Amino acid sequence: MSCYDDSFDEDQFKLYNYDATYRNVKSLFNKYRMFKNKVFEEIEKIGATSRQFEEKVDNPSYKKNSTARHAEQLINLKDFIEYCDEVIGKNIKDLNYYEKWIFDEVLIRSKRLSSIANDKKCDRSYVYLSKKKKSCVLKISMWFDIYVLNDNVMNELKSYKDYNDL
């Protein structure tokens, strides 16, 4: 199978509520983009003192200090970004060529799919790219466990006799 092959067929797409799943993925990457640059800029401003906050952040009396609260917030955001980077790093190999391109340009750089379709490097139609975007979003939602199943799938599962025993 080449890196250009479709990885999802129509039957697999039907299992998921794409619109709800896309909203979840879009929300995740909006947060990721928003926090990534700001957090590392702030941590560099704090510099070496950030280590002391990591150690003291568990002390309840220390949390009254606004600087400590700010440092705690930065640490939590940094942990979120590192978690996302780790999940992406582990799973990026699962995306094919066009899915990686869509991931980089649409989800990470927040470009529109139409701008990618108009790119001189692109030799595929907008329809093809939109299918690739759909499969890319579904794969990423599975990485982070933020996919939404179609209501029909849930109804079918509930109709099985042994579903409640699971």
Side-chain angles (χ1 to χ4, degrees):
M1 188 154 103
S2 80
C3 63
Y4 300 105
D5 290 339
D6 287 329
S7 42
F8 279 95
D9 62 12
E10 288 302 316
D11 290 335
Q12 289 173 312
F13 281 132
K14 290 177 186 175
L15 294 175
Y16 302 97
N17 180 337
Y18 176 74
D19 294 330
T21 301
Y22 180 68
R23 281 192 299 273
N24 290 345
V25 170
K26 187 176 176 182
S27 174
L28 175 78
F29 280 97
N30 283 341
K31 291 173 188 170
Y32 177 79
R33 278 191 312 272
M34 182 172 61
F35 297 143
K36 189 161 185 167
N37 292 331
K38 281 191 175 263
V39 166
F40 288 108
E41 286 174 11
E42 289 291 320
I43 288 175
E44 285 191 19
K45 284 181 191 176
I46 293 173
T49 59
S50 66
R51 280 188 220 104
Q52 102 185 24
F53 290 124
E54 285 182 22
E55 295 166 6
K56 296 181 182 180
V57 99
D58 292 332
N59 183 345
S61 64
Y62 195 71
K63 288 184 181 181
K64 293 178 183 172
N65 182 338
S66 66
T67 308
R69 282 193 309 274
H70 181 67
E72 179 182 25
Q73 196 175 37
L74 285 175
I75 291 165
N76 291 337
L77 293 174
K78 183 179 134 211
D79 290 345
F80 167 75
I81 292 165
E82 288 173 351
Y83 167 74
C84 290
D85 286 340
E86 182 180 326
V87 170
I88 291 167
K90 283 182 186 175
N91 296 297
I92 195 76
K93 65 187 175 307
D94 295 341
L95 301 178
N96 65 33
Y97 174 80
Y98 285 102
E99 290 169 339
K100 282 181 189 174
W101 195 24
I102 289 167
F103 173 77
D104 287 338
E105 297 296 321
V106 175
L107 295 174
I108 299 294
R109 293 192 180 99
S110 190
K111 290 184 178 179
R112 293 183 147 306
L113 191 61
S114 58
S115 67
I116 293 173
N118 294 331
D119 192 326
K120 293 176 185 174
K121 295 186 292 186
C122 185
D123 59 349
R124 298 292 178 162
S125 70
Y126 181 83
V127 173
Y128 178 83
L129 290 177
S130 63
K131 286 182 183 177
K132 285 298 164 190
K133 179 183 175 188
K134 197 172 184 180
S135 69
C136 176
V137 166
L138 291 176
K139 285 180 181 180
I140 291 167
S141 70
M142 288 178 208
W143 299 349
F144 290 98
D145 199 25
I146 56 175
Y147 58 87
V148 179
L149 291 175
N150 228 343
D151 292 336
N152 297 339
V153 173
M154 293 307 293
N155 291 335
E156 286 180 30
L157 276 175
K158 289 177 185 176
S159 70
Y160 287 117
K161 156 177 109 169
D162 298 330
Y163 176 73
N164 292 329
D165 296 334
L166 296 177

